[in-house]
Amino acid sequence: MKRILCSALALVLALSLCACGESGGDTGPTYPAAFAGLEDQIDAAREEGRLTVCVSGEEPFLTAACEKFEELFDISVTVRTAEPDALPNSSGTDVWYGGDEALCRTLSESGGLMAYTPEAASALIDPGYGHEDYCVISTDALGIMVNSDVLARMGISAPRTWDDLLEPVYRELVWLPAYDTAEGRLFVRAMMEYFGDDAADYLTQLDTSVQFYTTGTDTAAKCLSTGECVIGIGWLSTGLTAQRNSGSSAIAMWAPAAEGVPGQVQTTAIFADAPHPNAAKLWQEFALSPQCMELMEDNGCSRFPTVWDGQETMPDIDPAQLKLYGVETEETSAAVDEVIAAVMETLAENGVDTEDAARWHVA
């Protein structure tokens, strides 16, 4: 009798397990809420099954984004790398991720990009970051960073404009990018635009405020957290990185917006002859999603994302105020060289030791 009851119970259990399996069914893959309503597009992209992404540079978040896309949508991603300051080879490639906007604009004007406006573009923190055939994914600005605690102890208010830096109170407090660095040359170009023919005179006067000329992109920012540097000129993202790494609330930063902000932005775009257009369009949606934007900070990138819940931590950078400078042309390079030469010549005539590496090339 016991044997019969055991057999009966086993049969009931087996039937109930089968029923549970049938009622659950196969619901298929699920995606984050940011992709709700894009099911047809996802299906079309998955049908293509492949995507080739050209990333500009070797920053970890670029490849992390490719890996995340592959994980989310089960689409095989091939990654190619291009130099950050060069136009990529679009042959056989679907999308360009992390490219400089000046280069992206050049490619757009020559018809090299596919027009596509992602649904996700509606979440851009400013509509100025969306364009017909590419979108901005991150911004940065060359601005002013300070250690506010040190300034407070000195009884000095922070400089808010480029003109403020000439005030005698800031004598030998400023760390400025050396003029033979990319940041230093960009600063010179910005001052040429702002001060016009008086740019060399401004830079000559500014030398009195400069303690060190730095060669490292983040030298000033790193030393702000220790108080070695009081006022630094550089990419604001380096200040944010120093702030995060040190946990210091003393580091403050801003861009002199009223004067125009020397800026750089990264973009995402689809090549005109993309072999997998549906997967490429899905990539554009993904690139502007919180899931992708969060990968910047997660992978040590402190540029300021254009779509993200955390944008309250960003300095207020108005895209209309960002002045984007393209790659130096022969003419531009000659003009910058001329201004720098005039500054160095005048400083030498005034008795400044322009060969002092301990001041002029601080790494």
Side-chain angles (χ1 to χ4, degrees):
M1 184 67 177
K2 287 182 180 179
R3 190 173 298 168
I4 295 173
L5 285 172
C6 287
S7 298
L9 286 171
L11 180 60
V12 170
L13 180 60
L15 290 172
S16 64
L17 288 172
C18 289
C20 288
E22 289 172 3
S23 63
D26 182 10
T27 58
T30 58
Y31 307 102
F35 304 100
L38 298 177
E39 290 79 10
D40 290 345
Q41 189 173 54
I42 293 173
D43 288 344
R46 283 167 58 87
E47 188 173 336
E48 289 178 342
R50 290 184 170 278
L51 182 74
T52 300
V53 180
C54 178
V55 299
S56 286
E58 298 181 356
E59 292 180 90
F61 87 88
L62 297 171
T63 51
C66 296
E67 292 168 0
K68 187 67 175 180
F69 181 85
E70 190 170 68
E71 173 193 325
L72 279 176
F73 303 109
D74 194 26
I75 293 172
S76 177
V77 177
T78 299
V79 181
R80 296 178 180 173
T81 303
E83 292 298 322
D85 58 353
L87 284 171
N89 180 0
S90 63
S91 178
T93 307
D94 296 295
V95 298
W96 184 15
Y97 185 56
D100 176 78
E101 186 180 22
L103 294 173
C104 196
R105 197 184 315 121
T106 298
L107 198 57
S108 171
E109 291 169 354
S110 66
L113 299 179
M114 179 187 297
Y116 178 69
T117 302
E119 294 289 333
S122 61
L124 287 166
I125 59 177
D126 191 289
Y129 291 131
H131 299 270
E132 182 182 11
D133 48 11
Y134 67 90
C135 289
V136 174
I137 58 171
S138 71
T139 68
D140 204 352
L142 199 69
I144 299 172
M145 305 173 284
V146 304
N147 184 308
S148 54
D149 286 351
V150 176
L151 286 176
R153 289 197 297 270
M154 297 175 71
I156 301 173
S157 60
R160 304 297 302 189
T161 69
W162 302 129
D163 291 285
D164 286 349
L165 294 174
L166 299 182
E167 295 295 329
V169 71
Y170 303 121
R171 184 183 179 90
E172 296 186 1
L173 290 182
V174 178
W175 291 29
L176 186 73
Y179 294 138
D180 58 356
T181 64
E183 292 81 8
R185 293 183 67 85
L186 177 61
F187 182 72
V188 172
R189 291 176 70 183
M191 297 307 101
M192 289 169 63
E193 179 154 338
Y194 182 59
F195 291 102
D197 293 338
D198 295 326
D201 184 52
Y202 169 81
L203 294 172
T204 301
Q205 293 181 61
L206 182 61
D207 180 72
T208 304
S209 299
V210 176
Q211 181 182 13
F212 295 119
Y213 292 86
T214 60
T215 57
T217 300
D218 58 354
T219 302
K222 285 180 177 177
C223 292
L224 278 170
S225 59
T226 63
E228 297 171 80
C229 174
V230 182
I231 302 169
I233 307 302
W235 294 116
L236 298 187
S237 63
T238 64
L240 184 57
T241 298
Q243 193 180 72
R244 289 170 176 167
N245 292 344
S246 66
S248 172
S249 60
I251 300 176
M253 66 200 85
W254 52 85
E259 302 167 18
V261 185
Q264 63 179 4
V265 302
Q266 290 180 305
T267 61
T268 183
I270 305 174
F271 290 116
D273 54 354
H276 308 102
N278 293 313
K281 291 175 182 177
L282 181 59
W283 171 272
Q284 292 295 88
E285 302 290 351
F286 165 74
L288 298 183
S289 71
Q291 285 71 27
C292 187
M293 293 288 175
E294 288 167 2
L295 293 173
M296 293 185 191
E297 182 177 354
D298 291 347
N299 287 272
C301 175
S302 294
R303 288 192 187 88
F304 309 113
T306 54
V307 179
W308 196 27
D309 292 339
Q311 66 257 26
E312 68 274 3
T313 65
M314 296 165 49
D316 184 16
I317 302 176
D318 180 354
Q321 293 288 345
L322 279 177
K323 171 63 179 177
L324 304 176
Y325 294 83
V327 177
E328 286 188 11
T329 63
E330 187 175 334
E331 182 180 355
T332 301
S333 183
V336 172
D337 288 343
E338 183 178 347
V339 169
I340 293 173
V343 171
M344 302 304 279
E345 182 179 347
T346 302
L347 291 177
E349 290 173 354
N350 293 341
V352 176
D353 183 1
T354 58
E355 302 297 326
D356 180 9
R359 178 177 184 247
W360 284 88
H361 288 88
V362 175

